[in-house]
Amino acid sequence: MTRTGHVTLVLGGARSGKSGFSERLAKESGLERHYIATGRAYDDEMHERIARHRADRGDGWVTHEVPVDLVERLADIDAPGRVILVDCLTLWITNLMMDERDIDAAGAALVRLFENLSARLILVSNEVGLGIVPDNRMAREFRDHAGRLHQRIAAVADEVFFIAAGLPLKMKG
């Protein structure tokens, strides 16, 4: 099978408007909408964030909560006529780190999946490399993993957007 799908990467800082922009792209596609949520609720604040995201998103989505096995779930639900929004890759990386998984291998598997993709795929991720150098090893490793994954995806994506202050800057496509 060859790729008939379309890959869009949406990057930006925290509260930049990435999710809202990505949800609008998905809705405007007119395709059957699937939402993959990668967040894990480790505390009350995260429970509230997840509930707020769900409420903001509204109806019309098939939601999949997938904190770790993203590639497998994408392969399972990939189909023509669907748009799949993954929000977000940085939480996925966090979960992989917490579970002591091989992040580079997981990222490579994700990019390989694009080769046979049938759906429209929108990937949301936080750009974390624009600030100061983190003061601890785990945070530096996280930043480096995210940066490498973003580069891998951007190299093969059809479109890449950077969102700042709710405004999209089209970087590719």
Side-chain angles (χ1 to χ4, degrees):
M1 183 177 212
T2 58
R3 178 172 160 185
T4 57
H6 184 94
V7 178
T8 301
L9 176 62
V10 179
L11 298 169
R15 300 290 150 268
S16 63
K18 302 177 303 294
S19 294
F21 174 78
S22 299
E23 290 166 12
R24 283 190 301 280
L25 281 181
K27 287 178 184 176
E28 290 169 2
S29 75
L31 302 171
E32 177 187 306
R33 297 187 310 248
H34 287 254
Y35 188 99
I36 295 182
T38 60
R40 279 184 176 157
Y42 289 109
D43 56 29
D44 290 342
E45 187 266 342
M46 194 61 177
H47 277 286
E48 291 172 15
R49 280 180 182 261
I50 290 170
R52 189 170 46 252
H53 260 272
R54 191 175 291 129
D56 289 348
R57 198 165 50 248
D59 295 331
W61 296 87
V62 177
T63 301
H64 310 265
E65 294 188 10
V66 186
V68 175
D69 298 321
L70 176 61
V71 175
E72 293 81 359
R73 182 60 60 90
L74 282 169
D76 287 345
I77 65 173
D78 179 36
R82 287 185 176 167
V83 59
I84 304 168
L85 193 160
V86 177
D87 197 354
C88 77
L89 293 176
T90 42
L91 287 174
W92 179 57
I93 292 169
T94 299
N95 297 335
L96 292 170
M97 289 179 76
M98 298 303 285
D99 287 3
E100 299 181 355
R101 302 277 185 104
D102 185 335
I103 296 155
D104 288 331
L110 177 63
V111 171
R112 268 193 315 277
L113 176 81
F114 301 164
E115 295 171 7
N116 296 314
L117 190 68
S118 298
R120 167 127 194 235
L121 180 61
I122 302 169
L123 302 160
V124 177
S125 199
N126 289 293
E127 177 51 66
V128 296
L130 296 173
I132 61 172
V133 175
D135 70 346
N136 66 76
R137 180 181 177 175
M138 184 176 191
R140 286 187 298 275
E141 288 176 356
F142 170 78
R143 176 207 55 198
D144 294 348
H145 286 305
R148 284 191 297 272
L149 180 62
H150 295 161
Q151 288 182 57
R152 274 182 164 162
I153 293 170
V156 298
D158 300 289
E159 294 178 306
V160 179
F161 290 92
F162 185 81
I163 312 298
L167 301 173
L169 170 65
K170 192 167 195 175
M171 300 174 70
K172 180 180 179 182

